[in-house]
Amino acid sequence: QVQLVESGGGLVQPGGSLRLSCAASGRIFSIDDMGWYRQAAGKQRELVATITSGGRTNYADSVKGRFTISRDNAAKAVYLQMNSLKPEDTAVYYCNADARMYYYTYVRAYWGQGTQVTVSS
């Protein structure tokens, strides 16, 4: 199995910064795209940012210019630097990885357990 463990969430004031980390472990042959999604209370889960194994990034319009996604392929890790945080960024943030356990298996999506980010004064 593939496990994803997030860290770095917490409470921050508006305008502040947080850095989320996510490390993948377990039986992994390869990882394609990695990303961050979030789910606010009473809302559907939404994409925040994704990054390919080659480093190409994609961001939700709501976070462009404020959030930066990066990854360390050797460490099987993905990061999300969040600056200029707003109350509307409050949500549970989930790490995602599209991974293959063996060379002969299909790529499937794996998810972390989520980490709470609260932006409030």
Side-chain angles (χ1 to χ4, degrees):
Q1 270 289 7
V2 176
Q3 294 86 38
L4 299 176
V5 179
E6 302 113 332
S7 61
L11 173 65
V12 64
Q13 292 187 342
S17 297
L18 281 175
R19 186 174 189 252
L20 305 182
S21 299
C22 172
S25 62
R27 187 64 182 91
I28 300 172
F29 174 76
S30 64
I31 301 177
D32 293 346
D33 293 359
M34 301 185 80
W36 291 93
Y37 292 71
R38 66 187 181 187
Q39 187 167 16
K43 296 187 177 181
Q44 289 189 332
R45 189 173 298 189
E46 64 177 5
L47 179 147
V48 176
T50 61
I51 184 167
T52 68
S53 58
R56 188 169 66 248
T57 58
N58 178 54
Y59 294 93
D61 288 343
S62 59
V63 306
K64 282 181 181 176
R66 301 188 297 122
F67 291 9
T68 302
I69 189 170
S70 61
R71 68 188 278 176
D72 182 336
N73 289 332
K76 298 184 181 64
V78 63
Y79 310 96
L80 186 68
Q81 177 66 42
M82 304 185 293
N83 299 327
S84 303
L85 282 160
K86 305 176 181 179
E88 51 263 43
D89 294 317
T90 295
V92 177
Y93 283 69
Y94 296 91
C95 173
N96 164 266
D98 294 333
R100 191 191 306 266
M101 289 180 62
Y102 301 95
Y103 72 93
Y104 54 82
T105 57
Y106 292 106
V107 173
R108 59 155 288 190
Y110 294 90
W111 295 89
Q113 80 287 353
T115 184
Q116 177 70 46
V117 172
T118 303
V119 185
S120 175
S121 55

